[in-house]
Amino acid sequence: MSKPATPVAPPLKDELDIVIPTIRNLDFLEMWRPFFQPYHLIIVQDGDPTKTIKVPEGFDYELYNRNDINRILGQRPPASPSRTLPAAASGFWSRRRSTSSPLMTIAL
């Protein structure tokens, strides 16, 4: 008879931030909830900053748009060219954080 699996704590739970650059709603997070929910998400919205990005309930996240990036990093930061979401997200995150915590960027 098999025993139930022992729950395993997510690796780097309190150390890892996940950056998700996007121009669309994040409905896909529902399918990936067991993986993403334990982590802090930094969502960087490119495109129209007046558009509302929907994030499913129950996630720990910060949501930034192009206006936030421009305000924090300046109008034309070299690490954040317009329409280059991974660069914008990584550049924004690396300048925003003062720790050396691990980072994962999800390119959609």
Side-chain angles (χ1 to χ4, degrees):
M1 184 174 257
S2 63
K3 295 181 183 178
T6 304
V8 177
L12 303 172
K13 179 184 180 296
D14 297 320
E15 302 171 39
L16 177 70
D17 286 342
I18 299 176
V19 174
I20 303 175
T22 189
I23 59 172
R24 59 185 64 91
N25 291 332
L26 297 175
D27 299 331
F28 82 91
L29 287 175
E30 279 302 336
M31 294 183 299
W32 290 87
R33 184 175 290 277
F35 177 78
F36 285 112
Q37 192 166 25
Y39 299 101
H40 178 72
L41 307 178
I42 299 173
I43 301 165
V44 182
Q45 173 188 351
D46 205 353
D48 182 358
T50 63
K51 181 180 176 190
T52 301
I53 296 290
K54 294 180 184 171
V55 180
E57 289 186 29
F59 288 93
D60 173 30
Y61 70 93
E62 298 170 62
L63 176 61
Y64 299 96
N65 63 32
R66 178 55 63 180
N67 291 338
D68 297 319
I69 295 168
N70 290 343
R71 180 178 43 78
I72 293 167
L73 299 180
Q75 289 296 318
R76 298 277 257 174
S80 181
S82 182
R83 304 285 184 227
T84 308
L85 291 174
S90 297
F92 175 71
W93 188 88
S94 65
R95 291 187 185 190
R96 180 90 169 128
R97 300 288 278 186
S98 60
T99 66
S100 60
S101 298
L103 165 71
M104 175 189 294
T105 300
I106 307 296
L108 301 175

